[in-house]
Amino acid sequence: QVAAASGHTVVLVDQSDEILKKSAKGIEESLKRVTKKKFADKPEAGAEFIEKTLKNLTTSTDAAAVVHSTDLVIEAIVENLEVKNELFKRLDKFAPDHTIFASNTSSLQITNLANSTTRQDRFGGLHFFNPVPMMKLVEVIKTPMTSQKTFESLMDFSKAVGKSPVSCKDTPGFIVNRLLVPYMMEAVRLFERGDASKEDIDVAMKLGAGYPMGPFELLDYVGLDTSKYIIDGWHSLEPNNPLFAPSPLLNKLVAEKKLGKKTGEGFYKYK
């Protein structure tokens, strides 16, 4: 959406036409919300903006067939190293030499993904934040093999789609999640020890640190399964790091399928 709205030609790829129809509809709805604010007193200009943006966007279920005419591939599929590597390996065969590959992963190492291709110098991380149309930040990740030219192209692209890029080396969680996930886990440990209630911890961080959400609200919003997946991955990389220690309570909730907002219950219950 943000790439198409900033004048880039975009091909959105997913597994089925049904998913793509839903995605296209979601993008159109999102654009309507954007134009209500952006073109509040100019509805005609708003309608033109939506039409122009949607013209820049086509869809496909065959990534290999469309990659031959692209300059940049941004992968945002399931957080699974094998599945991602399989996709990159396949696309590497069909993409032109100049095409840059980027992953939107939040927790996997970019170097491990780049190694599945023959273009390690044209591979980096572009970690966007949810919801992308609203959030200004993009973390641009440079591996030891990423060329300076590729890195600059990724920074330029981020600015061209209206974002504020920050750069980071290929370290677990990059900047935001490396600080955020251990913070959320520390909140769970504080609660597990019985030092404070989850409600009071949430209120304290909102009113004392100015955070828009408390750590337990945020965990429920992100998904407890996602948070567990990240911490388990980092724990296996650095088993002696106390910040990456698993939480018995988090493991129990995930085992009970209480994954947060999306299932109606996590640390809190949702209607």
Side-chain angles (χ1 to χ4, degrees):
Q1 181 187 321
V2 296
S6 53
H8 296 81
T9 306
V10 182
V11 185
L12 175 64
V13 178
D14 216 315
Q15 291 172 313
S16 71
D17 287 323
E18 199 183 332
I19 296 170
L20 287 165
K21 269 190 197 125
K22 207 174 158 190
S23 302
K25 197 174 184 316
I27 288 171
E28 198 170 343
E29 293 302 315
S30 176
L31 284 167
K32 281 177 188 166
R33 286 195 295 275
V34 171
T35 49
K36 259 187 189 160
K37 283 183 189 169
K38 205 172 167 184
F39 302 96
D41 47 357
K42 290 183 259 177
E44 281 166 16
E48 196 184 321
F49 168 73
I50 293 174
E51 192 189 336
K52 218 168 166 184
T53 301
L54 293 175
K55 263 192 187 145
N56 288 336
L57 190 67
T58 51
T59 59
S60 172
T61 53
D62 189 349
V66 296
V67 78
H68 61 80
S69 59
T70 56
D71 300 313
L72 173 65
V73 172
I74 303 176
E75 165 277 317
I77 65 171
V78 63
E79 271 300 74
N80 178 305
L81 186 67
E82 280 170 32
V83 181
K84 286 184 191 288
N85 278 346
E86 191 52 49
L87 175 69
F88 280 127
K89 203 184 261 179
R90 195 157 57 90
L91 295 185
D92 192 39
K93 294 189 184 98
F94 296 96
D97 283 346
H98 77 275
T99 305
I100 294 172
F101 283 7
S103 176
N104 182 52
T105 182
S106 58
S107 65
L108 299 173
Q109 283 196 294
I110 301 295
T111 305
N112 288 346
L113 297 169
N115 284 341
S116 66
T117 72
T118 57
R119 61 186 75 219
Q120 286 99 329
D121 58 327
R122 285 149 290 154
F123 203 114
L126 273 182
H127 182 218
F128 289 83
F129 287 78
N130 250 337
V132 181
M134 312 307 295
M135 300 287 270
K136 291 292 283 183
L137 187 69
V138 179
E139 291 176 322
V140 180
I141 314 306
K142 190 176 193 244
T143 79
M145 294 101 71
T146 309
S147 72
Q148 188 59 24
K149 188 183 172 197
T150 296
F151 173 70
E152 283 167 12
S153 296
L154 292 174
M155 290 292 278
D156 289 344
F157 172 75
S158 304
K159 289 173 192 165
V161 297
K163 301 300 173 196
S164 300
V166 292
S167 71
C168 183
K169 287 182 180 171
D170 190 16
T171 179
F174 316 133
I175 299 172
V176 174
N177 281 334
R178 179 63 181 78
L179 296 173
L180 193 60
V181 174
Y183 148 74
M184 294 194 294
M185 296 302 290
E186 276 299 291
V188 177
R189 290 182 197 112
L190 192 68
F191 174 54
E192 278 176 323
R193 291 195 300 269
D195 294 341
S197 71
K198 53 183 188 285
E199 291 81 2
D200 281 355
I201 295 169
D202 276 354
V203 169
M205 291 314 291
K206 284 190 285 192
L207 302 185
Y211 288 10
M213 278 184 196
F216 293 97
E217 292 171 317
L218 188 56
L219 279 158
D220 278 354
Y221 177 76
V222 168
L224 305 194
D225 51 341
T226 305
S227 305
K228 174 178 154 54
Y229 178 82
I230 293 170
I231 211 74
D232 287 352
W234 294 356
H235 180 62
S236 66
L237 284 177
E238 294 181 34
N240 299 323
N241 189 333
L243 289 176
F244 299 164
S247 148
L249 177 58
L250 184 65
N251 291 348
K252 179 176 176 284
L253 289 168
V254 172
E256 291 168 356
K257 300 276 189 286
K258 293 173 182 169
L259 309 180
K261 271 194 132 162
K262 59 186 169 189
T263 58
E265 188 177 351
F267 284 103
Y268 297 114
K269 285 185 176 169
Y270 302 88
K271 282 194 177 110

